[in-house]
Amino acid sequence: RKHFSPATKVISYGPCQTPALSFCVERAREIELFQSQPYHKVDITCVVDGSKQVFAPKWIIPRQDQTKTKEEESPDPLSEENATFDKALAEKTAKSVLEGKNLRVIDIEELHETKKAPLGLNTVALLTSASKAMGMSPKQVMTVSEKLYSSGFISYPRTETTRYDPTGFDVRSTLREHQSHPEWGRTASYLLRSKYKSSGIPPRRGHDAGDHPPITPLKAASREEVGGGNHWR
């Protein structure tokens, strides 16, 4: 208590608050110690010979030893494979492209990937998405979410669960609520005609933390109805 202000009358702690506070402290220290450095990328635009087709090949920084781990394979600590702190390497690459003028395709590799549908939205995923996509702070996100919840637009926003209850949640009921919405109603209608035509059982993937169900849009609404601004976003 000696480290707190004399005005502090209550010190709250618990099994969730304590570890969460440690994460905040560690992140705050990382931010305080961070020193920005200029990094370099090479952006290339090519025109296919004999046509007007334009494409932009991606510069992949060569790694010296592919057998090493990501931490060991290069002295360059940048995680992006097409960016580097090595200015000389970037300038050398740009010069070689400009001097060559013509590029020749020597190999084509096709990759087929299957992307799984996202899991149900929990609080951590909500905070992460809102921060990356909309630049909102955690406090802003939770303030907006709680207001949307109290107005009946979304389910309870504080949850660790990402798996819907297969016996207690009917996907079709939620989709029907949104199928007349002017912006995403067509998507809801398509899902009702296709994937959920005969069954409203939700996906079985995810984690059931035993608390509240994933955050779900319960009621369709217009921009004006939710209050516009961050609430609509």
Side-chain angles (χ1 to χ4, degrees):
R1 181 177 289 275
K2 66 181 181 180
H3 297 293
F4 291 84
S5 167
T8 303
K9 296 181 179 180
V10 177
I11 301 175
S12 176
Y13 64 92
C16 292
Q17 292 171 300
T18 304
L21 179 60
S22 70
F23 297 147
C24 294
V25 172
E26 290 176 5
R27 184 58 177 167
R29 286 174 176 168
E30 290 179 4
I31 294 173
E32 288 176 355
L33 297 175
F34 176 76
Q35 293 183 343
S36 62
Q37 292 180 257
Y39 63 91
H40 309 276
K41 290 184 176 183
V42 177
D43 294 323
I44 306 170
T45 301
C46 300
V47 179
V48 178
D49 190 26
S51 73
K52 295 182 179 180
Q53 184 178 353
V54 178
F55 71 100
K58 185 178 180 180
W59 178 42
I60 304 298
I61 299 173
R63 301 301 184 184
Q64 296 178 352
D65 187 351
Q66 296 292 340
T67 63
K68 295 182 179 181
T69 64
K70 287 186 177 180
E71 290 76 15
E72 299 172 333
E73 66 184 2
S74 171
D76 192 335
L78 261 186
S79 59
E80 295 184 72
E81 61 183 2
N82 64 332
T84 178
F85 288 126
D86 190 342
K87 182 179 180 180
L89 175 62
E91 289 179 339
K92 179 181 177 181
T93 302
K95 183 179 179 181
S96 64
V97 172
L98 292 173
E99 289 180 347
K101 293 186 179 180
N102 295 322
L103 301 179
R104 182 167 59 92
V105 177
I106 60 175
D107 185 35
I108 297 177
E109 179 181 355
E110 293 186 6
L111 298 176
H112 297 275
E113 296 181 315
T114 300
K115 187 175 182 180
K116 295 182 179 180
L119 300 176
L121 187 70
N122 64 7
T123 306
V124 173
L126 170 66
L127 294 173
T128 302
S129 300
S131 174
K132 289 183 177 180
M134 294 176 276
M136 295 174 64
S137 70
K139 182 178 180 180
Q140 287 177 311
V141 177
M142 295 314 300
T143 299
V144 169
S145 300
E146 288 168 0
K147 185 172 182 180
L148 291 173
Y149 165 69
S150 62
S151 300
F153 294 116
I154 65 172
S155 60
Y156 191 61
R158 296 182 182 273
T159 178
E160 296 180 16
T161 295
T162 58
R163 183 176 184 267
Y164 287 99
D165 180 0
T167 61
F169 181 79
D170 183 9
V171 177
R172 288 183 295 184
S173 177
T174 302
L175 290 174
R176 289 192 191 103
E177 173 62 33
H178 292 272
Q179 64 179 342
S180 60
H181 196 278
E183 295 199 28
W184 53 78
R186 292 180 62 183
T187 301
S189 298
Y190 170 76
L191 290 172
L192 283 168
R193 295 193 309 269
S194 54
K195 185 174 183 178
Y196 297 106
K197 181 178 181 180
S198 59
S199 173
I201 298 176
R204 298 183 181 275
R205 295 174 55 242
H207 169 66
D208 185 357
D211 52 358
H212 299 276
I215 304 168
T216 307
L218 301 178
K219 185 169 63 175
S222 65
R223 182 189 297 268
E224 292 74 21
E225 289 173 321
V226 299
N230 287 335
H231 295 77
W232 175 251
R233 295 169 70 195

